[in-house]
Every structure is written in C-alpha cells, then in structure tokens.
Amino acid sequence: MTQQVRVKANAPDPHASSFREAFGTFLLSSGLLDRASIERAQRAASTTGERFDQVLTKLGLLSEGDLAISLGHYLNLPLHTPGGEPLQRLLADKLPASFVLQNRILPVRLDEAGLTLAVVDPLDQVPLDAVRFVTDHAIRHEIITPADFERAAEALYREAGGGAAEGPPSQGSEDPSEHDLQRLRDSASEAPVIRLVNQIIADAVDARASDIYIEPTVGALSVRFRVDGLLRVVHEVPARQRAAVISRIKILARLDIAERRLPQDGRVKLAIRGTDIDFRVATIPTADGETVTLRVLDRSRVRLEFPALGFDDDQITLLQRLTEQPNGIILVTGPTGSGKTTTLYTMLKHVNQPTVKIFTVEDPIEYQLQGISQVQVQPAIDLDFPTCLRAILRHHPDMILIGEIRDTETARIAVQASLTGHLVLSTLHTNSASETVTRLIDMGIEHFLLGSTLRGIIAQRLVRRLCPACSRPHADSDHLTARLCEEMPALQSRDAPDLRQPVGCEQCQSTGFRGQLSIAEIVIVDDGVRNLILQRTPAADIERLARTKGFISMYEDGLAKVWAGLTTIEEVLRVTHDV
C-alpha cells in the first residue's frame, strides 16, 4: 500500500504569484515543460487572474493526469488510482453525496490510521477543513484526477443525486434538449453559450451589480442586475438558449444540471478583468422554469473603513466603544442586503491584532481577513452554526463573529458564549434597533439574560450615494432646508447645508447615483436600557430613553446625510418608510 502523507499544513495560495514561480520552477526541473511554455502559462495566469495550474490544462500544456501527478509530487501527495480496493461509501451520514460531489472530495479508506480522502483540488482548503470539523478521525489526503473522480462518484453516488434525476420535467421545460441530459451538457458547452454567460457576468461586474437575476419567462430569458440596491433589466435571451444558459451556470457552480425540481445552492470563483470574484449561485424551480440568482462578491470594491461606509464621527466613536467591550453581544440588524456583514467586518478589522484571538462562523465567508480564523458553514455535512460554535468555544477565542442568528439554538449559544467571557458579534433581521430586544425574546431568550449580555444594537439601511461627478445644487434648496430643519431641529447647529440633486453622467450610467452608504441608529445598552429590558418594557420606551442620551434614528441620520449633500430625501424615504 502506498504510504499516505498529510498535505502541507500551510498549503500554497494557488492564486499567488509565488505559487506560479515555485510550481513553474518545479515543472521545469522535472523536465515536464520547457521554459517558454511555463512563461507563456505564467503570463496568461497573471493577465487573466486564473490559477496557474488550471491555465496549464486550458492551454493544453499538461493533461489532467500529468497535472495531478505533478501536483502530487510538488505537495508530497500520492496519486489515488481507483481499483486498488472495492468501492464503498464511507461515513455517508457525515459526508453525504451532495457534499462529496460539490467539493470533489472522495472518502476512499477508513482504517486505524484515519480517514483517507481522494481530492481533485488539493489546494482548496475550505472543504478539507469542513471534513476535519465533522469527523473524529485523522485526515490523510491523496490526489485524484477529475476523470477518475467522476467515474468513482458516478458508481458510488448515482442514486443519491450524482446522475440523471428521474421523474417528470419541471413546468415550463419546453425546449426538447432539456429532456436529454447529454444534449444539455453539449449545448451548455458550445462557444456561443459560454461567451454569452461570460458576457452577462462581466457586464454585471462592470456595472457594480450586487446580484444577477436570470429569470425564464414565457418567450425569453430575462436578465436583471441589482445595482446600488435597485433592479434594472439588461438582457433578453431568446427562449431557445434558456436551458443552455442556465445549465452553463449550474456547471460552473458544480450543481446537478439534471435536477430541475429542487432548489440548489453553490458557489464559483471567476477571474473577471484580472480580478478574482466570488459568486453565490442559487436556483429554484418556478412556473416558467428554473430561476437562477448569482450574488456578486467583489472584494476589490469593498473598503472596510467606517467613514467609507457612511458612518459619521459620533457613530464611529460609539462603534469603537462597543468593540472594546470585554464580553457581551453586539448585534447589527436590518434586511438582506443592508450592509450588516460589511459593518461587522469593519468592526473586526478595528480590533484585529496579534494579541486577540478571533473566530468567525459564516455562510458563506464573504471577505477573507488576515489573522482571523474563519469557518465556512457546510449544511450538507451537518456543520451548521450551533455545531461550529460549540467547537469554537473549545478554542478559547476572545471574539466570535456569527454570520447570522437564524434560530433559537444559535441565539442561546451566543448568549452562553457572552456569559463565559467572549465578545460575540452577529446579525439579526429586525426593522429597528429597539425592536431587536422584542425579537430575541420572541425567539425564546429570557429577558434577564438579554439584560446581562446585550452591549449594543446597530440598525442600518443602505441608500444610494449621489454621483460626485455630476450632482448639482438642489433647485429648491431653501424649501428643502426649511423642511429638514422642521423634521430635525438639531441640523441648524451644523455647518451650512450642501443640498444636492442627481443629474446623470457616463460615470454613473446616467442614474445620478454611484455607490451606497449606510444610514444607521445605535442603541448602547447601559444601566438605564438594561433596567427597561429586565422590566420587559416595550420597544418604544427603550427608544425614548435612548433619545435622552443622544440617540438618533435611521431616518434622522439619513436627513443628516441629505444635509451634507451625500444623498437625497427621496432615497432616505425609500429605505426608511417602514421604520
């Protein structure tokens, strides 16, 4: 039996230039490629932002088998060749088919030495870390070629979702090619479809879209982008290409193209204009066919600085006070897409230093922060928020970020963590800061526990920022000034107003707005607020007490942003009319 060797603890970053140079030197010294071929692949990888090892196969310089052997030698990993032992499903309860197929990690041996995994991509550490979390065995690794993985997975997991789904097609499947899986794969791999999907994704990134919606209609496929919080139609794809376009996206996200009756979730990383961008992909069957949504996570556009997010000096002081607490819970609330996670990351960046141990539990990991241990939730193997939190508490962290408190169990563990000396940051879906207490009590958290653990609540929304290149002074500045002062008298003590209105130019795609900024309200849970929580006082009374100590509502914070010429009164009303 081939000796098993554990993968390097610090696996190289496959996107780094150092990996391109080191692996290229290894290939040259091994005699597999000449210097001209290696330099050609390195230039292509540097230009496109794609991984150097993947470029080698795309350019036809190395076969998948030769690449697997080379990576195995480079990483000190043996090559797994199926057929040496009988195929059998291992740890099916902890490593279900959906996880194995999506991450291309095949459990091949379980003995007294531990669990051996055959992996297609040994440089992708996220699924490997997930397996470590849910198994009690020592983990060893081998590398397997994509072709060998597909054959083994087909034999082992076909009935569990790896092969063609049986049953009637979903409603709206009018294209005959949708009934033929192989024809569907072929059509999704045709050059025109690949170019169309690539163009849609590139256009979305260029437009600074946060979401791409691909929605089948009776006679076409509608493509819409969400830019700065608002939707716009950008493409109409002919109905004959509907199945191929959706299948192409599912192939990119490693989803089952044959499954059209159930929702699926996946992710994909693509190099767009030389920048690596992550996409969260979700599909759901509708009356007219499958709808696909891609969440665009462009880390290059995010600045984790409080002023860049729209917080003013007084708010920044409060946020910094909160992150300096030794324990307790800090919550950021608001609807989906209101910038909650970005605010939490910025708070973590403020306190991240070598003397502080920080863990995050996220679904997914949106931004990778150096010096912070980030854990990706993997529901397919029961690695959910509560399971991760219980494991993390054994590592004695100083701070824990929970991506979202979704249920009572997660909320209770967060409370317990704060009671045992940890500072916990998380998000929750509520309309205002004061209503958060009511929401947590409704989830089953006792009021006396909330009073002793809550340290602060931030509620926020995102408004569109006026384009700095084309906005102009407001045409009715005097009337608007009077209205703002009537709504918020405290504005009269500020600097002179700079009221502006949108115009539209090439930089903002004629919308008059470019980018977004936060409007927020912050409640500090001091002794007064704590007493009201213990007395089960309504949210309105908590807000009234907070006002006596300088509390400013989201609406009023929005008015201050209007006063400063950053946004418009219409934008503030759009996002705060229900608050």
Side-chain angles (χ1 to χ4, degrees):
M1 183 180 296
T2 305
Q3 181 183 4
Q4 308 302 308
V5 184
R6 186 183 300 271
V7 74
K8 290 181 180 179
N10 297 316
D13 180 359
H15 298 277
S17 58
S18 57
F19 172 72
R20 292 197 296 269
E21 295 297 329
F23 190 44
T25 300
F26 173 82
L27 293 173
L28 182 63
S29 64
S30 301
L32 291 171
L33 292 175
D34 56 31
R35 184 175 299 279
S37 298
I38 292 172
E39 290 177 349
R40 174 190 171 198
Q42 288 174 336
R43 286 195 301 271
S46 177
T47 302
T48 64
E50 295 186 74
R51 285 171 45 170
F52 173 61
D53 55 317
Q54 295 173 350
V55 168
L56 291 170
T57 57
K58 286 186 177 181
L59 293 178
L61 300 175
L62 281 181
S63 67
E64 290 183 340
D66 288 340
L67 177 63
I69 294 172
S70 301
L71 277 175
H73 288 312
Y74 179 71
L75 297 172
N76 197 24
L77 283 174
L79 180 69
H80 177 80
T81 304
E85 55 255 325
L87 288 172
Q88 57 180 323
R89 294 182 61 179
L90 301 176
L91 300 178
D93 56 332
K94 293 184 177 181
L95 303 176
S98 57
F99 176 81
V100 170
L101 297 174
Q102 179 176 338
N103 293 284
R104 298 200 290 179
I105 289 184
L106 189 69
V108 294
R109 193 178 305 111
L110 181 60
D111 52 30
E112 64 279 358
L115 175 65
T116 301
L117 300 172
V119 301
V120 172
D121 186 359
L123 298 174
D124 185 0
Q125 293 297 300
V126 172
L128 300 178
D129 291 339
V131 175
R132 291 191 183 96
F133 259 93
V134 298
T135 62
D136 299 324
H137 306 285
I139 304 298
R140 298 174 181 273
H141 312 286
E142 299 176 351
I143 190 169
I144 186 172
T145 66
D148 284 342
F149 174 85
E150 293 295 340
R151 281 191 289 270
E154 175 76 11
L156 283 174
Y157 298 98
R158 182 173 186 175
E159 294 181 358
E166 297 178 0
S170 60
Q171 293 180 349
S173 300
E174 298 154 352
D175 188 338
S177 66
E178 292 191 45
H179 306 305
D180 185 333
L181 184 58
Q182 188 56 49
R183 289 178 60 192
L184 197 57
R185 285 198 184 100
D186 292 342
S187 62
S189 301
E190 292 175 353
V193 173
I194 294 175
R195 285 196 297 268
L196 175 59
V197 172
N198 290 346
Q199 188 62 52
I200 290 172
I201 293 175
D203 288 348
V205 173
D206 290 342
R208 299 174 296 105
S210 60
D211 300 273
I212 307 170
Y213 298 94
I214 300 177
E215 304 157 320
T217 61
V218 175
L221 188 69
S222 175
V223 180
R224 295 192 290 172
F225 296 165
R226 187 181 296 278
V227 181
D228 295 337
L230 296 183
L231 282 170
R232 63 177 71 162
V233 177
V234 292
H235 290 285
E236 287 286 344
V237 179
R240 66 179 182 275
Q241 292 183 299
R242 179 172 63 191
V245 168
I246 293 176
S247 296
R248 175 62 187 168
I249 295 172
K250 292 169 75 172
I251 288 172
L252 288 173
R254 299 180 185 175
L255 302 180
D256 183 2
I257 66 172
E259 180 55 77
R260 299 183 294 276
R261 302 165 299 174
L262 296 173
Q264 297 186 70
D265 295 292
R267 65 181 186 271
V268 60
K269 178 180 287 187
L270 299 173
I272 308 296
R273 310 283 192 256
T275 301
D276 279 338
I277 298 176
D278 286 331
F279 298 86
R280 291 167 55 186
V281 182
T283 72
I284 188 169
T286 65
D288 292 313
E290 278 188 292
T291 291
V292 180
T293 299
L294 292 87
R295 184 77 186 273
V296 184
L297 300 174
D298 186 355
R299 297 178 177 88
S300 65
R301 297 186 185 275
V302 177
R303 291 178 55 199
L304 300 180
E305 303 291 343
F306 287 125
L309 299 182
F311 293 98
D312 61 29
D313 292 342
D314 292 339
Q315 291 172 329
I316 293 172
T317 299
L318 292 177
L319 293 174
Q320 291 175 342
R321 273 181 51 195
L322 287 175
T323 55
E324 292 165 359
Q325 299 296 312
N327 55 57
I329 299 176
I330 302 170
L331 294 174
V332 181
T333 75
T336 301
S338 59
K340 303 185 297 295
T341 302
T342 304
T343 297
L344 286 179
Y345 275 130
T346 306
M347 296 173 73
L348 285 186
K349 183 182 177 183
H350 172 69
V351 297
N352 184 22
Q353 50 188 314
T355 57
V356 179
K357 179 60 178 177
I358 303 175
F359 267 97
T360 74
V361 185
E362 306 169 70
D363 184 20
I365 297 173
E366 295 194 10
Y367 310 109
Q368 292 181 332
L369 302 176
Q370 188 173 2
I372 294 178
S373 302
Q374 297 176 266
V375 180
Q376 165 75 56
V377 170
Q378 296 276 1
I381 54 174
D382 296 327
L383 187 62
D384 52 16
F385 281 103
T387 302
C388 290
L389 287 173
R390 292 191 190 95
I392 284 172
L393 289 176
R394 294 194 285 270
H395 292 261
H396 189 51
D398 298 294
M399 298 178 65
I400 304 171
L401 184 152
I402 305 172
E404 181 182 346
I405 294 180
R406 298 177 177 177
D407 50 47
T408 301
E409 187 178 8
T410 304
R412 286 192 177 280
I413 297 175
V415 169
Q416 293 167 7
S418 66
L419 288 172
T420 54
H422 306 87
L423 184 62
V424 179
L425 289 76
S426 189
T427 68
L428 195 66
H429 291 285
T430 59
N431 286 331
S432 66
S434 56
E435 291 177 9
T436 301
V437 174
T438 304
R439 171 72 177 124
L440 288 170
I441 292 175
D442 289 343
M443 293 178 69
I445 306 301
E446 293 80 1
H447 62 283
F448 58 87
L449 289 177
L450 289 179
S452 59
T453 56
L454 271 181
R455 296 291 178 263
I457 307 167
I458 305 105
Q460 70 177 59
R461 300 288 188 276
L462 293 178
V463 295
R464 291 186 295 171
R465 188 190 296 265
L466 281 166
C467 176
C470 65
S471 66
R472 67 186 181 194
H474 200 281
D476 197 1
S477 179
D478 292 341
H479 173 73
L480 183 55
T481 299
R483 179 183 173 186
L484 293 176
C485 290
E486 181 181 351
E487 293 273 355
M488 187 178 175
L491 289 174
Q492 299 179 58
S493 62
R494 302 198 175 201
D495 294 337
D498 181 22
L499 307 179
R500 308 188 72 81
Q501 65 185 47
V503 178
C505 65
E506 183 177 346
Q507 292 188 28
C508 62
Q509 299 180 346
S510 301
T511 63
F513 298 91
R514 183 173 175 82
Q516 295 175 286
L517 72 155
S518 300
I519 59 173
E521 59 187 35
I522 303 174
V523 171
I524 301 296
V525 182
D526 56 14
D527 290 338
V529 174
R530 189 170 295 111
N531 289 333
L532 292 183
I533 294 175
L534 294 175
Q535 298 169 20
R536 306 189 184 190
T537 305
D541 292 341
I542 294 177
E543 183 171 318
R544 274 194 289 271
L545 176 62
R547 281 191 176 278
T548 64
K549 303 176 183 181
F551 171 85
I552 295 177
S553 70
M554 268 188 291
Y555 175 65
E556 292 167 328
D557 185 40
L559 296 184
K561 301 292 196 300
V562 176
W563 186 272
L566 299 176
T567 188
T568 66
I569 185 68
E570 291 80 10
E571 274 295 295
V572 175
L573 292 172
R574 178 177 66 84
V575 302
T576 62
H577 70 280
D578 61 338
V579 179

